[in-house]
Amino acid sequence: MTKNEQWMQLALKEAQKAFEEDEIPVGALVVHDNKIIGRGYNQIERLQDPTAHAEMIAITAAANHLQSRRLAECTLFVTLEPCPMCAGAIVQARIPTLVFGAFDPKAGACGTLFNIVQDKRLNHQPHVISGVCDKECEELLKGFFGRVRVIPKKER
């Protein structure tokens, strides 16, 4: 197992927390000097906050840890391709490397629908590594959406 796969396995554990809380199961980690300095999972429903994506929570935690808005020596691991909001936050935080698992055909902004993170018109373009542990990331998402479609929310 590669180092990226090891970190993605830990991001999947964060995504599992979201799954257990009836949130779309996305997990994220920010790694600096081979240590996790930020972690997050989707909490949109729980917090009733449309910005409470896994990446946003992990980036905020990492910035607090480093006491800096610039995460220049960090890597972000996320189980699902970031949306436009999260892709913008990645650029603003100057994260040099983004590693994600599953592609998002409905909102992906790191190569699928848009490619915000590698837009040369912006002042920062992180290196992107996609498809890490993609099958496991996809299975967790499919399991969640399969459950959502079959079991009414009040019964979950």
Side-chain angles (χ1 to χ4, degrees):
M1 184 178 289
T2 69
K3 198 67 172 161
N4 284 344
E5 290 169 335
Q6 290 173 352
W7 289 120
M8 191 61 73
Q9 289 299 315
L10 295 173
L12 275 160
K13 288 184 180 194
E14 293 297 314
Q16 185 64 42
K17 292 177 188 176
F19 185 94
E20 290 165 8
E21 292 184 16
D22 217 21
E23 297 273 0
I24 295 173
V26 178
L29 303 174
V30 177
V31 176
H32 179 261
D33 287 340
N34 218 29
K35 290 190 309 200
I36 298 170
I37 62 164
R39 62 178 73 224
Y41 59 91
N42 275 2
Q43 297 179 53
I44 298 161
E45 296 299 329
R46 184 172 126 207
L47 300 175
Q48 288 299 296
D49 179 354
T51 69
H53 289 202
E55 303 95 318
M56 302 297 279
I57 293 167
I59 288 169
T60 298
N64 287 337
H65 177 85
L66 294 176
Q67 297 183 345
S68 175
R69 66 181 181 84
R70 294 187 184 223
L71 305 179
E73 295 176 8
C74 297
T75 300
L76 174 65
F77 292 86
V78 61
T79 58
L80 181 65
E81 178 182 3
C83 72
M85 173 183 68
C86 294
I90 292 163
V91 171
Q92 291 300 314
R94 308 298 195 273
I95 295 172
T97 306
L98 164 66
V99 181
F100 72 84
F103 287 87
D104 186 347
K106 295 188 182 213
C110 299
T112 299
L113 293 180
F114 310 101
N115 199 349
I116 292 169
V117 294
Q118 294 182 320
D119 189 322
K120 299 287 186 219
R121 295 171 295 178
L122 300 176
N123 62 346
H124 176 71
Q125 296 87 36
H127 174 64
V128 177
I129 301 168
S130 58
V132 175
C133 300
D134 57 338
K135 300 295 182 257
E136 290 168 82
C137 297
E138 289 168 10
E139 286 304 314
L140 187 59
L141 288 159
K142 285 178 185 175
F144 174 79
F145 286 111
R147 183 179 76 172
V148 167
R149 290 183 185 104
V150 173
I151 304 169
K153 190 168 191 165
K154 62 185 171 197
E155 294 177 27
R156 281 186 257 141

